[in-house]
């Protein structure tokens, strides 16, 4: 239960909390609004509560934190301590992500994932999202 967490793990927790409150989701939302897009945020009626939903196009965008969703980038690397603990949490997240994508596809929705680290390059993110929206399928 009340588990003593090492400094290493604690600093990871604090970092992930601070990135949450900085809000990568909110940053992407502001970026897209600035580019003139209209969309719904936190679409609770859809599987996985997509961060951003373009309802008339049946397309959604998820913003994933690199650490929690185990992105293959520097930020996504697991901490050196309690590796099993974190890896199992991250594995659960990743399999949930995959399940949500399948459910959305079955309902006729397409999904794009934007990673937290990619938000450092807003132009590139905008290009990815606009390409995703323009692609018919
Ligand atoms: Zn990343």
């Amino acid at each position: 239960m009340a588990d003593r967490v090492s400094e290493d793990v604690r600093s990871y927790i604090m970092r992930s909390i601070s990135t949450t409150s900085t809000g990568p989701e909110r940053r992407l939302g502001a970026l897209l609004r600035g580019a003139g897009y209209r969309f719904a945020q936190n679409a609770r009626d859809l599987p996985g509560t997509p961060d951003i939903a373009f309802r008339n196009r049946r397309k959604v965008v998820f913003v994933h934190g690199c650490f929690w969703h185990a992105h293959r980038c520097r930020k996504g690397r697991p901490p050196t301590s309690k590796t099993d603990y974190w890896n199992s949490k991250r594995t659960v997240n990743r399999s949930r992500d995959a399940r949500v994508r399948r459910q959305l596809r079955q309902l006729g929705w397409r999904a794009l994932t934007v990673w937290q680290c990619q938000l450092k390059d807003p132009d590139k993110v905008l290009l990815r999202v606009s390409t995703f929206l323009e692609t018919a399928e």
Side-chain angles (χ1 to χ4, degrees):
M1 267 295 292
D3 199 0
R4 288 163 62 102
V5 290
S6 73
E7 281 308 306
D8 186 22
V9 171
R10 196 187 308 278
S11 80
Y12 261 87
I13 295 168
M14 294 315 291
R15 214 174 308 156
S16 59
I17 289 167
S18 73
T19 54
T20 305
S21 58
T22 326
E25 302 86 1
R26 280 178 19 217
R27 268 165 62 203
L28 181 65
L31 184 67
L32 293 176
R33 251 193 310 279
Y37 287 112
R38 298 188 59 197
F39 48 86
Q41 283 190 282
N42 300 318
R44 289 184 208 289
D45 57 319
L46 291 172
T49 313
D51 298 303
I52 288 175
F54 297 90
R55 292 185 181 281
N56 47 3
R57 304 178 202 237
R58 293 181 86 79
K59 288 184 179 178
V60 296
V61 180
F62 288 97
V63 186
H64 281 344
C66 296
F67 177 68
W68 292 107
H69 297 265
H71 190 211
R72 294 186 194 287
C73 72
R74 250 158 47 98
K75 279 189 174 181
R77 275 196 240 151
T80 47
S81 67
K82 285 204 153 198
T83 312
D84 291 347
Y85 169 78
W86 290 109
N87 280 345
S88 69
K89 271 204 168 328
R90 285 147 43 101
T91 303
V92 167
N93 280 346
R94 287 203 68 111
S95 51
R96 189 195 302 126
D97 296 342
R99 192 174 59 238
V100 161
R101 273 176 174 273
R102 269 198 309 276
Q103 289 170 340
L104 283 165
R105 211 178 307 132
Q106 279 161 8
L107 293 168
W109 289 74
R110 293 194 62 222
L112 174 76
T113 299
V114 171
W115 292 93
Q116 184 188 351
C117 63
Q118 294 169 336
L119 287 169
K120 276 186 291 191
D121 190 344
D123 289 344
K124 209 166 162 185
V125 169
L126 272 180
L127 184 65
R128 278 192 71 210
V129 172
S130 67
T131 305
F132 167 68
L133 291 176
E134 282 157 23
T135 310
E137 199 200 306

